[in-house]
Amino acid sequence: QHKGGVKEEKSLCSHGMLDSSATNLGCEIPPCSLDSLLILLGFAMTYGIFQEYYLNHWSFHGNRNTIGVIGTTSNGVMYLSMPLLFAAFSRRWARFRRTVAFCGVVLACTGFLVSSISTNVWHLVVTQGILVALGCALIYTPTTLSLSEYFSVNNRAVAYGVVLSCKNITGSICPFLIQSLLDHFGFRTTMRIWTAIVAGASLFAVL
């Protein structure tokens, strides 16, 4: 009886028909999201370092003043899309969380990689400002939603605290890492290295 009930709850959870925060079973992906959030939010929160590098080592066609739009566009896309994504994947389409997160990894990595061969400012706006930001939002949403379903009630608060504190960790570590990469390898190689780091960390979290 009990085993059958658990099996039924898991089935309902996998089809987005049951709020698994009440069952603590988890639907899709384990929240190994500390590493992915640390890497993915790192770019948006340290974009000022990239902006300074772009202006001091200008090699793009287009208006230099447009560079400032990239950071605001990135944050805008992420934070404006998250309410819609949270609403969509909290229950009704919960079974698609892993797929959505994987699509986010592909978008983010594509954006970072293509930006390394950008020759015009608008290329950076599209890749770093839109593609990367949307990819980050697609990864952040399902991993965060899974926290309440993967951990027991006693550990849930700790899990949220650890993951949400990633912004503070990112703000302390990533500026030094980004600056060091830019100083040693330049912008284009740095973006390829960052792509590899994001791919490795995000795939570990999603898969």
Side-chain angles (χ1 to χ4, degrees):
Q1 179 85 24
H2 177 69
K3 291 183 178 178
V6 171
K7 183 177 180 180
E8 181 179 359
E9 285 178 345
K10 287 185 177 180
S11 176
L12 290 173
C13 176
S14 64
H15 288 82
M17 298 170 61
L18 181 67
D19 183 3
S20 61
S21 63
T23 64
N24 303 317
L25 294 175
C27 289
E28 288 286 342
I29 54 178
C32 303
S33 50
L34 177 61
D35 56 344
S36 65
L37 295 183
L38 178 62
I39 299 300
L40 292 171
L41 294 179
F43 178 81
M45 297 189 67
T46 59
Y47 176 73
I49 296 176
F50 281 98
Q51 181 174 349
E52 182 181 4
Y53 184 90
Y54 294 152
L55 294 176
N56 292 336
H57 303 81
W58 188 255
S59 60
F60 304 101
H61 301 292
N63 190 343
R64 293 168 62 98
N65 295 329
T66 308
I67 286 293
V69 175
I70 300 172
T72 54
T73 301
S74 177
N75 283 306
V77 169
M78 276 200 295
Y79 291 115
L80 290 177
S81 64
M82 281 180 188
L84 300 177
L85 294 174
F86 275 115
F89 298 107
S90 60
R91 283 189 68 176
R92 184 172 183 180
W93 293 323
R95 63 186 181 277
F96 296 118
R97 287 180 192 171
R98 187 188 297 273
T99 302
V100 167
F102 183 77
C103 291
V105 174
V106 173
L107 276 179
C109 291
T110 300
F112 284 128
L113 186 61
V114 174
S115 71
S116 70
I117 59 174
S118 298
T119 58
N120 202 302
V121 177
W122 72 265
H123 297 164
L124 296 178
V125 175
V126 172
T127 56
Q128 296 182 351
I130 299 176
L131 283 182
V132 169
L134 184 57
C136 291
L138 290 176
I139 297 173
Y140 181 90
T141 302
T143 52
T144 302
L145 284 172
S146 295
L147 287 176
S148 63
E149 302 165 356
Y150 194 78
F151 289 97
S152 65
V153 175
N154 293 335
N155 296 327
R156 196 174 298 163
V158 176
Y160 270 110
V162 170
V163 172
L164 297 179
S165 66
C166 284
K167 288 187 177 182
N168 296 327
I169 299 174
T170 299
S172 302
I173 296 176
C174 283
F176 298 101
L177 176 60
I178 294 293
Q179 189 65 63
S180 178
L181 289 173
L182 289 173
D183 291 341
H184 286 84
F185 302 106
F187 157 68
R188 301 189 187 280
T189 302
T190 294
M191 295 316 306
R192 290 161 191 160
I193 295 173
W194 196 254
T195 301
I197 295 173
V198 168
S202 300
L203 288 175
F204 174 76
V206 171
L207 299 178

